[in-house]
Every structure is written in structure tokens, then in C-alpha cells.
Amino acid sequence: MMAARRLSSLLSRSLSFSSSGAASLLHSLAGRNINRFSTAAAVEDLITPQVPIRYTQHLINGQFVDAASGKTFPAYDPRSGEVIANVAEGDVEDINRAVSAARKAFDEGPWPKMTAYERSRILLRFADLVEKHSDELAALETWNNGKPFEQAAKSELPLFVRLFHYYAGWADKIHGLTVPADGDYHVQTLHEPVGVAGQIIPWNFPLIMFAWKVGPALACGNTIVLKTAEQTPLTALLVAKLFHEAGLPKGVLNVVSGYGPTAGAALASHMDVDKLAFTGSTDTGKIVLELAARSNLKPVTLELGGKSPFIVFEDADVDKAVELAHFALFFNQGQCCCAGSRTFVHERVYDEFLEKSKKRALRRVVGDPFKKGVEQGPQIDGEQFEKVLSYIRSGIESNATLECGGNRLGSKGFFIQPTVFSNVQDDMVIAQDEIFGPVQSILKFKDIDEVIQRANRTRYGLAAGVFTKNVDTANRLMRALRAGTVWINCFDVFDAAIPFGGYKMSGIGREKGIYSLHNYLQVKAVVTPLKNPAWI
Ligand code: NAI
Ligand code: MG
């Protein structure tokens, strides 16, 4: 919790969490019966969220509409596996309708024509509205995703608002260059929006992923068709509605719910989509890249899986390193693309680190994510739950030492005990694959050259953590590690301005920060003779 609090203070900036409405009701119900993972009572006794589910249809051209087929699919509460809503199920025809609305809004609508300042004002008004509805949004996010309510309310909603403030700030500062070319020419570049952006997001951070994708695309003047993850369709529909209340013209942001191989694939392969952005698994990333290539060669940005090292050197303060390594792995039920899922510890501090990590995992508070003080809720769904348990079995079978955890928690929903393995070897499946669950693997190393080599020996390259007091060690590691982010003596710092993305099979391109704008702009070179040339 200590590290989580540190994160939340880093993320929150000046926005305060309002304790009105749904949140205060939830919190008044919360507080007792906190479950530690050795007992399962509290997961059987769930708080009923006091928020309405207002929107379940697609949002196309400013209107909520049913699926063209009339079909719906269920959205679940991962605490119990119960259905909480039936949501319009998008497919090819819904994507076609959404893309034509976005196309029209781009080609004819007011959005690309209005001044950048006007666009910026709409983004700011939207951020204010989200802030006003943040209790409701946080409750809905927790209900549909299972993440701790406190995390959603105090870290993620403030970060969401901060991201839109950040992109609102960019909207009227995007411009080209004057280029000194040879000859008598005036040469300039125009930075123009790409057009219709297709965006496919995952379920682990539904609102944050919305902000990372929608923020830069709109700041640059594009229009959007967003496909949410089938597990978490609800919050995007509510925020998209708020965007329209803030003055976003119809057709600029269209949200279609549905499954990947149907709605997602239709978006990735659509001939009228000018750019695709995707976050999810490396396997699906390859599929969407191929669909984009086979259709109209739309440029693709990908934010994919990871197997990030978290490296603890012998000079580290062990207690602090244990806490940060624990946070790096277990945050968000371990469902983070950048989770520090290979904890490398120097042999001189290994035994102490291991003992304390085990104790920390045993102290982790698992239970109903609506209850105050709960650090870990359920995994997102039955599929992920089974996947994580099968990786735990694989760890046991490959002779890693199971220090604690290893089983489900309770008898309903998708709760898993915080699990720690020691004696993990590089070639074990649990040290190579993305587990995406609350399973920490602790590996021992002897020296810096060895750990650099081993840390880089993975197909992924999303992030890395380095814990040391030695500035030479830190300097060397930050250059040697092949990863898109290196956190030194910190982890999971997600400021709006910090670029994020992967080396190797962790992705293509960067999100957040100034780099994210490059994904959503075309550069047009304009050349004008300075003197009247002979040919005119
Ligand atoms: P996924 O990559 O299959 O799904 C992510 C998004 O892609 C969802 O919106 C889904 O509907 C869409 N999608 C799936 N198949 C598609 C297709 N053929 N065409 C177009 N869109 C498609 O991830 P999934 O199945 O939810 O999780 C599998 C694993 O992926 C997880 O266990 C985890 O290891 C990893 N993952 C990584 C994430 C990250 O943040 N990088 C987020 C979610 C999952
Ligand atoms: Mg999948």
C-alpha cells in the first residue's frame, strides 16, 4: 500500500478525490471484514455497487444505437462471475457504420476545421465533466474490472483527467517547420491530422487506455472509432457520452463494443481507417498488423506484452526494495503489461529479500475490491484466471520453489492468492511468458554483467526496474537494458508527459508525451519558389 500511495500521489497532481455520491456510500459500507489471503470469508460477502449502468449500446454519430444484428453480449462482475449488463455486440456492419460516421466527421464536419483552441476547450470541458463524475466512473470501473475501488478513484481517475488536460495543452501547439532547403524555395511543413483513427484497447486499464489513445488523436484533430475490450465495455460508453456533453461534434468519437475476431478485425482491416492503434497481447498485435498490411497499409502502433526485469543490487535497502518489487508485480492483480515479473536479486541479499517478499505477499489484502484497504481484487475473467493457475502449475512442475500462494481464493469469482516462487531459472516457462497475474518469480544473480545479459534475454522489452544506490550501476543499467522505460528506484510512474512503449516484441511506437502526437499526424511538405521561375 505504501508504494501504491506513493504512486497515487505521483499521479494525482492537484486533483482531489470527491467523497460524494456513490463513493461515500461504498466507503460507508466498506471498512470491516478485510480479507487477508489466508482466509476467504470476505470474498463471499460482496458489496453491491450503488451506480446505474446507463449506457450499453454503441455510440455512433453521437447517438446510442443497438447493434445492426440486434445481438448483445454479457458484461460480468469478476468478483462473482455474474452478468451485470447486456451490451450491444458489434460486428462488421457496426464498424462500417461507425467508420462512415467518423469519415464524414473528418471530411465534412466542423472538427478538423475549428480552431485548435476550440478543440482544446472541448477537451478541457470534458476533463472537468469526468472529474465531476469520477465517483460513478470509478465504481463502474471496479464493478466491471475488479480493480480496487481506491486505486480507480484515487489514482486512475485523476490520471485520466490529467491526461486530457495534458492533451488539451498540446492541441493549439501543434505546427510545422520552416525548412532551409537548397535553391530559391520557401519550404514549409504542415502537420495535419491523419484522418480516421481505429483504436483497439484491452481490459486491464479500460479508462487509462481510452485516455492514452483518444487524447492524442483528438488533440491532433483526427476522428475515431474505438473498440473496447469485450470484458470491459462500460466505462468508455459513459465517458464518450460525457465528451458529447462537453461539445464534441457528432461522429468525432464513435465507440463500438464487441469481440476481437469480429468487430476488432473489421476495424483493423477497414479500407477507410487511416491509422490503427492497438494495446493487448503480442499474438493479437501480430494479427492486427497483418490485417492492416493486407488491407490499406494503414500505419499501426502496438503496445504489447512484457516480461520486465526488476533488478535489486546488493547495496539496496532491502525493505524498500521488497516493497517496490511487490508493488511492481502485484499492482492491478498483476495485470500490467509492464509488470516487474522477473525479480532479479543479488545473491548477497537474496535470502533476506526472499523471506521478506514472502511475508509481504502473505500480508497482501485480497478481497472485495469495493472494500476499503483491499489491495487486490479478482482477475478479470475465467479465461485469465485459468491461464494464471496453469502458469502456477507449470512453475511447480518445473521445480521452482512455491514459497506461498498457488491457489484460488474463495469459491466464487476469480480471486487468486498472491503467489511467490523462488529458485526460478531463466529457461522456465514462468520466467519467459507473460503470466499477467499475481505471481512473483524471484531469480538470483551474482554480478552486473550477468544480470544485464539475463535481463535482456527475452523476446520482450517493455520496461525494467533497477534498485540501487550506486550511481555508476544505475548509469550503466539505464543504457544497457533494452526496454522502452527504465525506472530507477521507482516503478510504474505514469505521468502524462512520459513516453511509454516497447522494444522488440513489446511493440511499435510510443504513447503519451510528445511522441504520441507523431502517431496521429501526417507531415506535408509544401514548396514555393521565391522568385518567379522560368516555367510559369
Ligand atoms: P487480446 O490482445 O486478444 O485483446 C486485446 C484487444 O484486442 C481486445 O479489445 C480484443 O477484443 C481485441 N482483439 C482480440 N482479437 C482480435 C483480432 N483478431 N482482431 C482485432 N482485435 C482483436 O488480449 P486478451 O485475449 O484479452 O488477453 C490475452 C493476454 O494478452 C493476456 O493474458 C496478457 O498476457 C496479454 N494482454 C496484454 C495487455 C497489455 O496491456 N499489453 C492487455 C491485455 C492483455
Ligand atoms: Mg485474445
Side-chain angles (χ1 to χ4, degrees):
M1 239 7 240
M2 207 178 75
R5 265 189 227 116
R6 195 176 313 131
L7 172 87
S8 113
S9 69
L10 277 165
L11 301 181
S12 314
R13 294 289 182 271
S14 59
L15 297 158
S16 63
F17 167 64
S18 141
S19 62
S20 63
S24 64
L25 180 59
L26 292 167
H27 277 179
S28 68
L29 290 166
R32 259 171 287 147
N33 251 349
I34 285 173
N35 182 49
R36 294 179 194 278
F37 93 73
S38 50
T39 63
V43 285
E44 306 296 334
D45 171 24
L46 303 176
I47 289 174
T48 307
Q50 305 293 311
V51 289
I53 294 177
R54 291 197 266 160
Y55 307 112
T56 56
Q57 295 166 292
H58 302 316
L59 183 50
I60 297 178
N61 208 27
Q63 301 288 322
F64 280 109
V65 292
D66 284 333
S69 65
K71 280 203 221 166
T72 60
F73 70 103
Y76 297 96
D77 175 350
R79 301 175 306 160
S80 61
E82 281 159 17
V83 176
I84 57 174
N86 288 300
V87 179
E89 182 184 333
D91 207 325
V92 177
E93 182 50 29
D94 307 276
I95 292 292
N96 286 344
R97 290 177 186 178
V99 172
S100 57
R103 182 85 262 161
K104 193 157 187 282
F106 187 78
D107 292 345
E108 300 165 25
W111 183 246
K113 297 187 195 101
M114 63 173 67
T115 66
Y117 180 50
E118 284 173 299
R119 284 204 298 269
S120 162
R121 304 256 328 243
I122 291 173
L123 296 186
L124 289 172
R125 275 204 297 273
F126 166 65
D128 289 348
L129 275 178
V130 169
E131 208 175 354
K132 243 167 84 186
H133 288 80
S134 66
D135 291 348
E136 179 182 356
L137 280 163
L140 201 52
E141 192 83 325
T142 290
W143 198 6
N144 193 196
N145 170 282
K147 65 178 66 218
F149 175 76
E150 290 187 320
Q151 174 190 322
K154 295 182 186 170
S155 295
E156 297 186 16
L157 263 300
L159 178 59
F160 183 98
V161 171
R162 178 67 182 97
L163 281 155
F164 276 96
H165 284 166
Y166 176 84
Y167 285 112
W170 268 119
D172 59 356
K173 293 163 199 72
I174 293 166
H175 52 77
L177 302 170
T178 308
V179 181
D182 288 350
D184 286 333
Y185 297 103
H186 171 70
V187 182
Q188 58 190 312
T189 57
L190 302 181
H191 290 186
E192 299 180 336
V194 176
V196 176
Q199 305 184 322
I200 299 175
I201 57 174
W203 43 263
N204 51 344
F205 293 93
L207 281 171
I208 297 296
M209 291 299 104
F210 177 104
W212 286 18
K213 300 243 172 334
V214 170
L218 292 187
C220 295
N222 298 275
T223 62
I224 297 172
V225 176
L226 177 84
K227 200 218 57 87
T228 47
E230 56 271 31
Q231 296 86 345
T232 52
L234 300 176
T235 45
L237 294 170
L238 177 50
V239 288
K241 176 72 169 64
L242 296 178
F243 236 135
H244 288 82
E245 283 174 25
L248 193 73
K250 64 179 186 179
V252 174
L253 171 61
N254 306 275
V255 180
V256 175
S257 313
Y259 294 99
T262 49
L267 187 57
S269 54
H270 205 289
M271 291 300 287
D272 231 0
V273 171
D274 300 305
K275 191 258 165 331
L276 187 73
F278 170 84
T279 297
S281 64
T282 295
D283 285 348
T284 305
K286 288 182 181 176
I287 293 172
V288 299
L289 188 60
E290 196 175 331
L291 291 172
R294 285 186 189 281
S295 51
N296 60 347
L297 273 179
K298 56 181 80 61
V300 180
T301 40
L302 300 173
E303 200 265 272
L304 309 174
K307 195 71 189 173
S308 300
F310 183 97
I311 308 171
V312 180
F313 283 90
E314 69 270 33
D315 59 38
D317 176 322
V318 173
D319 291 329
K320 288 183 181 155
V322 164
E323 186 59 36
L324 199 64
H326 177 86
F327 169 65
L329 185 282
F330 290 98
F331 175 58
N332 207 46
Q333 293 67 246
Q335 301 168 148
C336 295
C337 47
C338 56
S341 53
R342 290 181 296 152
T343 312
F344 286 100
V345 182
H346 192 275
E347 59 179 4
R348 252 181 256 146
V349 289
Y350 183 87
D351 291 342
E352 181 188 354
F353 183 95
L354 178 59
E355 205 40 46
K356 289 180 168 168
S357 294
K358 178 179 164 179
K359 282 196 181 133
R360 179 63 184 90
L362 286 165
R363 276 203 318 275
R364 187 164 185 79
V365 184
V366 186
D368 183 341
F370 279 113
K371 290 186 178 164
K372 216 175 161 111
V374 164
E375 297 174 286
Q376 182 178 317
Q379 307 309 118
I380 187 73
D381 64 9
E383 196 180 322
Q384 289 296 312
F385 173 81
E386 291 300 339
K387 175 183 159 183
V388 174
L389 291 175
S390 86
Y391 276 118
I392 292 173
R393 283 195 296 277
S394 147
I396 294 168
E397 280 157 19
S398 61
N399 286 330
T401 309
L402 180 68
E403 298 284 346
C404 63
N407 288 309
R408 80 175 300 174
L409 181 67
S411 59
K412 69 176 170 192
F414 308 118
F415 295 85
I416 295 181
Q417 296 173 337
T419 298
V420 175
F421 279 110
S422 64
N423 295 316
V424 177
Q425 306 302 320
D426 295 354
D427 58 356
M428 291 177 182
V429 173
I430 57 166
Q432 295 189 347
D433 286 10
E434 184 172 57
I435 299 175
F436 232 59
V439 183
Q440 185 175 27
S441 295
I442 305 186
L443 305 93
K444 192 188 282 186
F445 75 92
K446 280 188 195 340
D447 69 56
I448 189 166
D449 293 322
E450 171 208 335
V451 81
I452 288 171
Q453 250 205 16
R454 290 172 62 195
N456 282 335
R457 210 183 300 139
T458 161
R459 56 190 179 277
Y460 296 118
L462 195 56
V466 177
F467 211 79
T468 180
K469 289 180 186 146
N470 184 327
V471 70
D472 297 330
T473 305
N475 279 333
R476 179 141 177 235
L477 268 282
M478 74 176 73
R479 286 165 176 76
L481 292 171
R482 301 197 59 215
T485 300
V486 179
W487 283 298
I488 295 172
N489 296 329
C490 61
F491 208 86
D492 281 348
V493 179
F494 284 115
D495 188 277
I498 302 175
F500 186 82
Y503 282 36
K504 300 193 270 181
M505 287 170 74
S506 289
I508 300 174
R510 294 293 176 270
E511 295 190 295
K512 297 197 291 139
I514 188 170
Y515 300 91
S516 62
L517 304 173
H518 303 171
N519 302 325
Y520 293 99
L521 291 169
Q522 283 284 17
V523 176
K524 180 181 283 174
V526 182
V527 183
T528 319
L530 283 173
K531 295 182 205 145
N532 272 346
W535 57 87
I536 52 170

